[in-house]
Amino acid sequence: MKKLLLVIAATAFSFGVFAQDSKMDNSKMDDKAKMDMKKDEKMDMKKDCVMMKDGKMMVMKGDKTMMMDKDMKMKNGNVVMKNGMVKMKDGKTMQMKDGDCMDMDGTMMMMEKGKM
């Protein structure tokens, strides 16, 4: 009899565990968890940038990618030219290579292979 009650109690408890909602209610989240979620969402979003792809300079804005048709000046003073040459505001120059990407603030980054 005790074993039967134990099995029934265990079964009832397991149904309660499976009945829990897997989605977390945002109102019950602490501030740190909310900030972490926002950071993850921002990382998933495409950032506006210019990038070298297959030897050509491309401009990515939102979901659109188009050929770069003119030189562009970034917020920090860097100038990116149609041929991939970058002139820094201190006068130094560098050539962008395939996969190099510069955001509109002028920060250089490397795009992940799967996202190009």
Side-chain angles (χ1 to χ4, degrees), residues 9-62:
T11 304
F13 177 72
S14 66
F15 283 125
V17 170
F18 288 116
Q20 296 295 318
D21 188 9
S22 63
K23 293 183 182 178
M24 184 179 253
D25 185 10
N26 284 349
S27 63
K28 295 178 182 175
M29 295 173 66
D30 63 352
D31 289 336
K32 184 175 182 340
K34 286 179 185 177
M35 286 173 47
D36 287 343
M37 269 182 69
K38 287 180 184 177
K39 190 183 295 184
D40 289 341
E41 289 171 5
K42 285 180 185 176
M43 291 176 121
D44 290 339
M45 290 173 38
K46 283 189 176 179
K47 196 168 192 180
D48 294 347
C49 66
V50 293
M51 72 177 286
M52 176 72 76
K53 183 175 180 181
D54 299 325
K56 297 181 177 105
M57 288 302 295
M58 308 297 283
V59 179
M60 296 172 65
K61 289 191 176 185

Side-chain angles (χ1 to χ4, degrees), residues 4 9 60 65:
L4 181 60
M60 296 172 65
T65 302

Side-chain angles (χ1 to χ4, degrees), residues 61-96:
K61 289 191 176 185
D63 291 337
K64 294 183 180 182
T65 302
M66 60 202 104
M67 290 280 293
M68 187 172 175
D69 59 352
K70 61 182 179 179
D71 297 348
M72 296 178 69
K73 186 172 185 175
M74 304 302 164
K75 289 181 183 177
N76 70 352
N78 293 346
V79 177
V80 181
M81 296 169 218
K82 293 189 302 184
N83 65 1
M85 186 66 65
V86 179
K87 186 172 184 179
M88 312 290 184
K89 70 178 182 179
D90 63 3
K92 294 180 184 176
T93 59
M94 66 164 285
Q95 179 67 44
M96 291 179 73

